[in-house]
PDB file of all heavy atoms in Angstrom:
ATOM      1  N   GLN A 258      25.048 -22.396 -21.666  1.00  0.00           N
ATOM      2  CA  GLN A 258      24.471 -21.875 -20.432  1.00  0.00           C
ATOM      3  C   GLN A 258      23.124 -21.213 -20.761  1.00  0.00           C
ATOM      4  O   GLN A 258      23.063 -20.042 -21.114  1.00  0.00           O
ATOM      5  CB  GLN A 258      25.436 -20.868 -19.798  1.00  0.00           C
ATOM      6  CG  GLN A 258      25.104 -20.490 -18.364  1.00  0.00           C
ATOM      7  CD  GLN A 258      26.136 -19.535 -17.795  1.00  0.00           C
ATOM      8  OE1 GLN A 258      26.049 -18.324 -17.976  1.00  0.00           O
ATOM      9  NE2 GLN A 258      27.128 -20.065 -17.091  1.00  0.00           N
ATOM     10  N   PRO A 259      22.018 -21.977 -20.655  1.00  0.00           N
ATOM     11  CA  PRO A 259      20.705 -21.431 -21.007  1.00  0.00           C
ATOM     12  C   PRO A 259      20.270 -20.336 -20.029  1.00  0.00           C
ATOM     13  O   PRO A 259      20.701 -20.295 -18.874  1.00  0.00           O
ATOM     14  CB  PRO A 259      19.774 -22.643 -20.910  1.00  0.00           C
ATOM     15  CG  PRO A 259      20.677 -23.832 -20.912  1.00  0.00           C
ATOM     16  CD  PRO A 259      21.947 -23.391 -20.277  1.00  0.00           C
ATOM     17  N   THR A 260      19.385 -19.474 -20.494  1.00  0.00           N
ATOM     18  CA  THR A 260      18.824 -18.406 -19.671  1.00  0.00           C
ATOM     19  C   THR A 260      17.339 -18.687 -19.446  1.00  0.00           C
ATOM     20  O   THR A 260      16.539 -18.611 -20.378  1.00  0.00           O
ATOM     21  CB  THR A 260      18.991 -17.035 -20.351  1.00  0.00           C
ATOM     22  OG1 THR A 260      20.382 -16.818 -20.629  1.00  0.00           O
ATOM     23  CG2 THR A 260      18.462 -15.918 -19.458  1.00  0.00           C
ATOM     24  N   ASP A 261      16.976 -19.031 -18.199  1.00  0.00           N
ATOM     25  CA  ASP A 261      15.596 -19.391 -17.883  1.00  0.00           C
ATOM     26  C   ASP A 261      14.846 -18.313 -17.116  1.00  0.00           C
ATOM     27  O   ASP A 261      13.636 -18.425 -16.907  1.00  0.00           O
ATOM     28  CB  ASP A 261      15.563 -20.688 -17.078  1.00  0.00           C
ATOM     29  CG  ASP A 261      16.023 -21.887 -17.890  1.00  0.00           C
ATOM     30  OD1 ASP A 261      16.003 -21.801 -19.135  1.00  0.00           O
ATOM     31  OD2 ASP A 261      16.416 -22.903 -17.283  1.00  0.00           O
ATOM     32  N   TYR A 262      15.560 -17.291 -16.649  1.00  0.00           N
ATOM     33  CA  TYR A 262      14.934 -16.208 -15.886  1.00  0.00           C
ATOM     34  C   TYR A 262      15.380 -14.860 -16.445  1.00  0.00           C
ATOM     35  O   TYR A 262      16.395 -14.756 -17.138  1.00  0.00           O
ATOM     36  CB  TYR A 262      15.325 -16.296 -14.403  1.00  0.00           C
ATOM     37  CG  TYR A 262      14.944 -17.601 -13.743  1.00  0.00           C
ATOM     38  CD1 TYR A 262      15.884 -18.604 -13.553  1.00  0.00           C
ATOM     39  CD2 TYR A 262      13.636 -17.838 -13.321  1.00  0.00           C
ATOM     40  CE1 TYR A 262      15.545 -19.811 -12.955  1.00  0.00           C
ATOM     41  CE2 TYR A 262      13.275 -19.038 -12.722  1.00  0.00           C
ATOM     42  CZ  TYR A 262      14.241 -20.021 -12.545  1.00  0.00           C
ATOM     43  OH  TYR A 262      13.894 -21.216 -11.966  1.00  0.00           O
ATOM     44  N   THR A 263      14.627 -13.837 -16.133  1.00  0.00           N
ATOM     45  CA  THR A 263      14.987 -12.482 -16.547  1.00  0.00           C
ATOM     46  C   THR A 263      16.331 -12.091 -15.939  1.00  0.00           C
ATOM     47  O   THR A 263      16.566 -12.302 -14.745  1.00  0.00           O
ATOM     48  CB  THR A 263      13.911 -11.486 -16.101  1.00  0.00           C
ATOM     49  OG1 THR A 263      12.660 -11.834 -16.693  1.00  0.00           O
ATOM     50  CG2 THR A 263      14.280 -10.061 -16.508  1.00  0.00           C
ATOM     51  N   VAL A 264      17.207 -11.532 -16.752  1.00  0.00           N
ATOM     52  CA  VAL A 264      18.536 -11.113 -16.288  1.00  0.00           C
ATOM     53  C   VAL A 264      18.593  -9.591 -16.261  1.00  0.00           C
ATOM     54  O   VAL A 264      18.363  -8.934 -17.272  1.00  0.00           O
ATOM     55  CB  VAL A 264      19.642 -11.668 -17.206  1.00  0.00           C
ATOM     56  CG1 VAL A 264      21.015 -11.186 -16.736  1.00  0.00           C
ATOM     57  CG2 VAL A 264      19.595 -13.196 -17.241  1.00  0.00           C
ATOM     58  N   THR A 265      18.888  -9.023 -15.092  1.00  0.00           N
ATOM     59  CA  THR A 265      18.951  -7.565 -14.954  1.00  0.00           C
ATOM     60  C   THR A 265      20.336  -7.074 -14.563  1.00  0.00           C
ATOM     61  O   THR A 265      20.555  -5.872 -14.446  1.00  0.00           O
ATOM     62  CB  THR A 265      17.935  -7.081 -13.903  1.00  0.00           C
ATOM     63  OG1 THR A 265      18.238  -7.694 -12.635  1.00  0.00           O
ATOM     64  CG2 THR A 265      16.519  -7.436 -14.313  1.00  0.00           C
ATOM     65  N   VAL A 302      29.625 -11.239 -19.955  1.00  0.00           N
ATOM     66  CA  VAL A 302      28.633 -11.468 -21.008  1.00  0.00           C
ATOM     67  C   VAL A 302      28.183 -10.123 -21.566  1.00  0.00           C
ATOM     68  O   VAL A 302      27.948  -9.165 -20.821  1.00  0.00           O
ATOM     69  CB  VAL A 302      27.437 -12.254 -20.450  1.00  0.00           C
ATOM     70  CG1 VAL A 302      26.334 -12.390 -21.503  1.00  0.00           C
ATOM     71  CG2 VAL A 302      27.887 -13.633 -19.968  1.00  0.00           C
ATOM     72  N   LYS A 303      28.063 -10.046 -22.889  1.00  0.00           N
ATOM     73  CA  LYS A 303      27.650  -8.811 -23.544  1.00  0.00           C
ATOM     74  C   LYS A 303      26.151  -8.578 -23.319  1.00  0.00           C
ATOM     75  O   LYS A 303      25.319  -9.404 -23.705  1.00  0.00           O
ATOM     76  CB  LYS A 303      27.928  -8.894 -25.039  1.00  0.00           C
ATOM     77  CG  LYS A 303      29.411  -9.116 -25.391  1.00  0.00           C
ATOM     78  CD  LYS A 303      29.585  -9.353 -26.876  1.00  0.00           C
ATOM     79  CE  LYS A 303      31.033  -9.652 -27.239  1.00  0.00           C
ATOM     80  NZ  LYS A 303      31.203  -9.954 -28.681  1.00  0.00           N
ATOM     81  N   GLY A 304      25.828  -7.461 -22.707  1.00  0.00           N
ATOM     82  CA  GLY A 304      24.424  -7.125 -22.480  1.00  0.00           C
ATOM     83  C   GLY A 304      23.764  -8.097 -21.514  1.00  0.00           C
ATOM     84  O   GLY A 304      24.416  -8.878 -20.826  1.00  0.00           O
ATOM     85  N   ASN A 305      22.424  -8.037 -21.463  1.00  0.00           N
ATOM     86  CA  ASN A 305      21.651  -8.933 -20.621  1.00  0.00           C
ATOM     87  C   ASN A 305      20.894  -9.917 -21.506  1.00  0.00           C
ATOM     88  O   ASN A 305      19.989  -9.517 -22.244  1.00  0.00           O
ATOM     89  CB  ASN A 305      20.659  -8.154 -19.753  1.00  0.00           C
ATOM     90  CG  ASN A 305      21.348  -7.311 -18.702  1.00  0.00           C
ATOM     91  OD1 ASN A 305      22.446  -7.636 -18.258  1.00  0.00           O
ATOM     92  ND2 ASN A 305      20.709  -6.217 -18.304  1.00  0.00           N
ATOM     93  N   PRO A 306      21.247 -11.209 -21.460  1.00  0.00           N
ATOM     94  CA  PRO A 306      20.541 -12.169 -22.304  1.00  0.00           C
ATOM     95  C   PRO A 306      19.069 -12.264 -21.935  1.00  0.00           C
ATOM     96  O   PRO A 306      18.699 -12.122 -20.768  1.00  0.00           O
ATOM     97  CB  PRO A 306      21.276 -13.488 -22.013  1.00  0.00           C
ATOM     98  CG  PRO A 306      21.947 -13.289 -20.696  1.00  0.00           C
ATOM     99  CD  PRO A 306      22.285 -11.834 -20.631  1.00  0.00           C
ATOM    100  N   ALA A 307      18.232 -12.496 -22.943  1.00  0.00           N
ATOM    101  CA  ALA A 307      16.791 -12.625 -22.721  1.00  0.00           C
ATOM    102  C   ALA A 307      16.456 -14.075 -22.381  1.00  0.00           C
ATOM    103  O   ALA A 307      17.252 -14.998 -22.617  1.00  0.00           O
ATOM    104  CB  ALA A 307      16.034 -12.185 -23.969  1.00  0.00           C
ATOM    105  N   ILE A 308      15.265 -14.280 -21.799  1.00  0.00           N
ATOM    106  CA  ILE A 308      14.812 -15.633 -21.501  1.00  0.00           C
ATOM    107  C   ILE A 308      14.786 -16.442 -22.797  1.00  0.00           C
ATOM    108  O   ILE A 308      14.255 -15.998 -23.810  1.00  0.00           O
ATOM    109  CB  ILE A 308      13.409 -15.608 -20.855  1.00  0.00           C
ATOM    110  CG1 ILE A 308      13.472 -14.907 -19.497  1.00  0.00           C
ATOM    111  CG2 ILE A 308      12.855 -17.023 -20.698  1.00  0.00           C
ATOM    112  CD1 ILE A 308      12.121 -14.755 -18.825  1.00  0.00           C
ATOM    113  N   GLY A 309      15.386 -17.626 -22.754  1.00  0.00           N
ATOM    114  CA  GLY A 309      15.471 -18.463 -23.942  1.00  0.00           C
ATOM    115  C   GLY A 309      16.806 -18.363 -24.657  1.00  0.00           C
ATOM    116  O   GLY A 309      17.150 -19.238 -25.467  1.00  0.00           O
ATOM    117  N   ASP A 310      17.570 -17.298 -24.379  1.00  0.00           N
ATOM    118  CA  ASP A 310      18.899 -17.178 -24.983  1.00  0.00           C
ATOM    119  C   ASP A 310      19.868 -18.173 -24.334  1.00  0.00           C
ATOM    120  O   ASP A 310      19.673 -18.609 -23.196  1.00  0.00           O
ATOM    121  CB  ASP A 310      19.447 -15.761 -24.799  1.00  0.00           C
ATOM    122  CG  ASP A 310      18.739 -14.747 -25.687  1.00  0.00           C
ATOM    123  OD1 ASP A 310      17.965 -15.180 -26.547  1.00  0.00           O
ATOM    124  OD2 ASP A 310      18.977 -13.538 -25.494  1.00  0.00           O
ATOM    125  N   THR A 311      20.913 -18.522 -25.060  1.00  0.00           N
ATOM    126  CA  THR A 311      21.931 -19.444 -24.552  1.00  0.00           C
ATOM    127  C   THR A 311      23.311 -18.839 -24.745  1.00  0.00           C
ATOM    128  O   THR A 311      23.650 -18.404 -25.856  1.00  0.00           O
ATOM    129  CB  THR A 311      21.868 -20.800 -25.278  1.00  0.00           C
ATOM    130  OG1 THR A 311      20.590 -21.404 -25.036  1.00  0.00           O
ATOM    131  CG2 THR A 311      22.962 -21.734 -24.784  1.00  0.00           C
ATOM    132  N   ILE A 312      24.075 -18.772 -23.661  1.00  0.00           N
ATOM    133  CA  ILE A 312      25.471 -18.331 -23.727  1.00  0.00           C
ATOM    134  C   ILE A 312      26.323 -19.561 -24.015  1.00  0.00           C
ATOM    135  O   ILE A 312      26.260 -20.560 -23.287  1.00  0.00           O
ATOM    136  CB  ILE A 312      25.917 -17.670 -22.413  1.00  0.00           C
ATOM    137  CG1 ILE A 312      24.969 -16.517 -22.036  1.00  0.00           C
ATOM    138  CG2 ILE A 312      27.356 -17.189 -22.520  1.00  0.00           C
ATOM    139  CD1 ILE A 312      24.873 -15.451 -23.077  1.00  0.00           C
TER     140      ILE A 312
END
Side-chain angles (χ1 to χ4, degrees):
Q258 193 178 85
T260 304
D261 293 340
Y262 301 100
T263 300
V264 178
T265 60
V302 175
K303 300 173 183 177
N305 292 332
I308 295 176
D310 287 351
T311 298
I312 305 302

